[in-house]
Amino acid sequence: MKILRDPKRLNPCVLVLGMFDGVHRGHQALLMRGGELAQEMNFPLSVLSFEPHPLRVLAPERAPLLLNTIPEKARIMQSFGVDNLCITTFDRARADQSPEDFMAEMVATYAPVVVVCGFNYTFGKGGKGTGKTLREFGKKNGFRTVVVPEVIVEGETVSSTRIRRVLAEGDIPMVNRLLGTGYTLSGKVENGKQLGRTMGFPTANVAIPRHKALPAFGVYDCWLETVDGAYHPAVVNVGRHPTLPEGAVTVEAHILAEEPLDLYGQHVRLSFMRFQRAEKRFDSKEALQEQIAHDVEEARAYFAKMV
């Protein structure tokens, strides 16, 4: 799969529209429908998305943290057969573009034979363009429009906003259910304060991608994937270390292995499986050390059940 930024001209394709933050089960319904059509018609499957999130331009104070980065998004999309992930720069000029100009540019750039969008997709200045607008324009400009209905789980529409809310509550099983592929965090292992090492629990300090949405502060059971594709069970702390000198938010992973792995400088991927406990302040470093030992044993018991 190719990641294309502001492409000028593509071959005819089936084109799927959306922000795809999280590439959740609602988004997956779009990709699956687009994939079916692409296969039936023997055309490549392309996705048109934006960066940054439109609210970062229109209302920065309301811009959401994102469920995944572009590489994380691409990884999921590739598994759904996407050939091209096309990232269009969203700026003030794009925000002021009329729906008609957006569609004319879309036709000139992507030559779509079919356009697929969600039930609530809007585009153009003021969000005045809709699936109905696309359908009417397509009839005159040689493409078919398919509008995919909402996906509902437990009586509520699956949406990025809903998932961010549930993530902030630390409800990882529900987050993973709504995402379909599970919540992950990918980043480079950096040098930290090495406080965990002084207490007998060395950790990998995973850099947090810019604008990445994090789960509630606390301790989690995760799988840590290394660049060679190996998976390791790990207990992960997300938070500010309130017991020790409090600082910036960090994500630190202690791998449940007999021998510590040297991961400094490497990129790793954390797949969050279970919330153990909320972050809290302890009366002493010794009390914290005792709790970490308990967290590790809880994680070992959790992963042992998977064998």
Side-chain angles (χ1 to χ4, degrees):
M1 189 188 77
K2 296 179 180 178
I3 299 177
L4 306 173
R5 293 187 176 271
D6 295 310
K8 301 302 180 184
R9 180 68 179 173
L10 264 69
N11 292 325
C13 64
V14 172
L15 184 64
V16 187
L17 306 177
M19 265 304 299
F20 289 93
D21 182 27
V23 198
H24 56 60
R25 288 175 60 180
H27 299 143
Q28 291 165 27
L30 301 180
L31 298 178
M32 287 188 285
R33 185 67 183 118
E36 291 169 356
L37 293 165
Q39 190 170 24
E40 289 172 7
M41 303 174 73
N42 198 28
F43 283 100
L45 178 62
S46 297
V47 170
L48 168 56
S49 189
F50 293 108
E51 189 184 44
H53 190 286
L55 283 178
R56 292 234 164 256
V57 174
L58 300 173
E61 71 283 357
R62 293 193 291 114
L65 296 174
L66 301 179
L67 295 168
N68 50 26
T69 62
I70 295 298
E72 289 169 345
K73 189 179 296 189
R75 180 188 179 110
I76 301 170
M77 287 186 176
Q78 186 171 19
S79 70
F80 282 89
V82 173
D83 297 293
N84 302 298
L85 170 54
C86 304
I87 307 298
T88 296
T89 300
F90 193 92
D91 52 18
R92 178 54 63 179
R94 180 70 61 185
D96 290 338
Q97 192 175 35
S98 70
E100 293 73 23
D101 285 347
F102 173 84
M103 291 184 291
E105 181 183 340
M106 178 188 74
V107 169
T109 302
Y110 299 95
V113 293
V114 180
V115 172
V116 180
C117 69
F119 71 100
N120 60 350
Y121 184 73
T122 60
F123 60 93
K125 187 174 182 178
K128 293 181 179 179
T130 65
K132 181 180 178 180
T133 313
L134 282 165
R135 186 172 284 118
E136 293 171 352
F137 189 87
K139 289 177 180 178
K140 301 176 183 178
N141 290 273
F143 65 85
R144 174 185 165 200
T145 300
V146 174
V147 179
V148 177
E150 61 189 329
V151 173
I152 297 176
V153 172
E154 293 192 4
E156 187 178 350
T157 302
V158 177
S159 69
S160 302
T161 300
R162 179 185 178 188
I163 295 170
R164 278 191 286 270
R165 183 184 74 237
V166 178
L167 182 67
E169 296 168 354
D171 189 351
I172 297 300
M174 179 54 77
V175 169
N176 290 347
R177 183 180 176 192
L178 297 174
L179 285 172
T181 54
Y183 173 80
T184 65
L185 185 149
S186 302
K188 186 177 180 180
V189 176
E190 300 179 333
N191 286 316
K193 297 179 180 178
Q194 300 194 8
L195 296 174
R197 187 176 298 275
T198 65
M199 293 185 286
F201 301 99
T203 60
N205 184 28
V206 183
I208 303 170
R210 192 164 178 251
H211 302 317
K212 176 78 174 185
L214 295 176
F217 288 177
V219 175
Y220 295 83
D221 299 328
C222 300
W223 287 106
L224 183 148
E225 182 185 2
T226 54
V227 289
D228 59 0
Y231 284 83
H232 305 274
V235 58
V236 175
N237 185 84
V238 179
R240 295 184 181 275
H241 300 287
T243 303
L244 301 170
E246 191 168 343
V249 176
T250 61
V251 174
E252 296 183 80
H254 172 68
I255 297 175
L256 306 180
E258 293 184 4
E259 296 294 332
L261 299 180
D262 183 7
L263 298 175
Y264 288 117
Q266 296 186 30
H267 279 83
V268 299
R269 186 167 73 109
L270 296 173
S271 297
F272 285 66
M273 305 300 294
R274 185 181 70 145
F275 176 73
Q276 268 205 46
R277 64 172 178 85
E279 183 176 63
K280 61 177 291 188
R281 181 185 294 274
F282 293 89
D283 294 332
S284 66
K285 181 177 177 180
E286 290 71 26
L288 171 60
Q289 188 173 12
E290 183 178 342
Q291 179 63 58
I292 294 174
H294 179 74
D295 297 338
V296 168
E297 290 309 309
E298 283 286 310
R300 289 189 189 281
Y302 172 76
F303 285 108
K305 294 177 182 178
M306 295 185 177
V307 178

